[in-house]
Amino acid sequence: MNTIQDLLEKSIRNVADFPKPGIQFKDITTALKDAEVLKRTSDYLYNQYKDRGITQVVGIESRGFILGSILAYKLGAGFVLLRKPGKLPADTISVEYELEYGTDKIEIHKDSLLPNDIVLLHDDLLATGGSAEAAIKLISQFNVKETHVNFLIELDFLNGRKRINGVESIDSTIHF
Ligand code: AMP
C-alpha cells in the first residue's frame, strides 16, 4: 500500500506563480476531493494524536478549518477558530504579525480556551511561520496545559519551524 506521504505528494497540486510571481502554491483541493486521500489523511492524523489527551483543536483560517475539524471530531475534542480581523462576533483578543509586505492580524474569541486544555494547533501549510507564531502567541495567553502543532505540509527551505517556540511538539506530514 502507498504511504500517506506518497499519496499526498501525488495528489497535492503545485500551481506556479500563484498568488504572485515566484510562489509555488501547494493546492490541497486536489487531495481533499479524493475520497481515499481524505480518509487516509484523516486516519493518519488521528492515529498520531489520539493518545495525547487533546481537548481542543485550534484551526487557522481558512484551510486549517478543514482537516482541523475532522480531527476534532475523531479525537472527541472541541474545535476553535482563529480568524482574520472582524470575522468573530463576540469579544476577541488579537495579534498582529509581519508579512512580506506590511502586517496582518488574527483573532480568537476571549472565551475559547481554558487553562486545563491540551491544544492541537493545525494549519494546512507552514511557510515563513508568521501565522503559526502569531497563533501560538494567542494560545499562550490562555495558559493552556500543553500545545501541539501540526501542519499537513512544511516548506523546509523557509525555516518557519524556527519561529515556533515553547510548544510540546511540532509535526508535518510531508515536506517540500
Ligand atoms: P506563513 O505564515 O508564511 O507560514 O504562511 C502560512 C499560511 O499561508 C498558511 O495558512 C498557508 O495556507 C498559506 N501559504 C503560504 N505559502 C503557501 C504556499 N506556497 N502554498 C499554499 N499555501 C501557502
Side-chain angles (χ1 to χ4, degrees):
M1 190 156 71
N2 282 327
T3 65
I4 189 68
Q5 285 78 13
D6 287 340
L7 277 182
L8 285 169
E9 270 162 29
K10 278 187 204 134
S11 61
I12 289 167
R13 169 165 57 192
N14 192 78
V15 183
D17 300 320
F18 181 88
K20 42 184 189 179
I23 304 287
Q24 301 290 328
F25 192 87
K26 303 297 176 197
D27 175 17
I28 62 167
T29 64
T30 39
L32 296 172
K33 74 170 185 167
D34 182 319
E36 186 198 351
V37 178
L38 182 61
K39 183 168 186 358
R40 290 270 312 270
T41 305
S42 305
D43 291 346
Y44 175 85
L45 293 175
Y46 165 70
N47 281 318
Q48 192 168 7
Y49 291 101
K50 67 180 194 297
D51 300 321
R52 300 199 204 180
I54 305 291
T55 57
Q56 293 290 346
V57 178
V58 177
I60 302 180
E61 183 169 357
S62 59
R63 286 183 294 273
F65 293 171
I66 304 163
L67 288 168
S69 49
I70 293 176
L71 206 44
Y73 172 73
K74 287 177 77 80
L75 291 168
F79 185 75
V80 170
L81 292 76
L82 276 175
R83 297 210 66 183
K84 289 169 185 151
K87 301 280 188 187
L88 291 171
D91 288 346
T92 59
I93 49 173
S94 62
V95 161
E96 217 169 72
Y97 62 100
E98 300 285 321
L99 294 175
E100 206 175 339
Y101 300 104
T103 60
D104 209 344
K105 221 183 195 185
I106 50 167
E107 297 186 336
I108 191 169
H109 271 144
K110 260 186 182 163
D111 59 359
S112 45
L113 297 170
L114 294 168
N116 61 357
D117 275 323
I118 298 179
V119 170
L120 174 59
L121 174 67
H122 170 79
D123 201 4
D124 67 324
L125 184 141
L126 175 65
T128 66
S131 42
E133 186 182 27
I136 288 157
K137 266 191 201 154
L138 284 179
I139 293 167
S140 70
Q141 295 193 37
F142 294 89
N143 295 311
V144 297
K145 217 190 262 175
E146 287 181 21
T147 303
H148 299 268
V149 185
N150 176 269
F151 304 97
L152 191 63
I153 307 161
E154 179 168 349
L155 303 182
D156 292 343
F157 59 95
L158 291 173
N159 292 315
R161 196 175 269 248
K162 281 197 183 144
R163 293 173 72 173
I164 301 175
N165 299 301
V167 297
E168 269 60 38
S169 71
I170 311 173
D171 196 84
S172 304
T173 308
I174 60 166
H175 297 255
F176 289 100

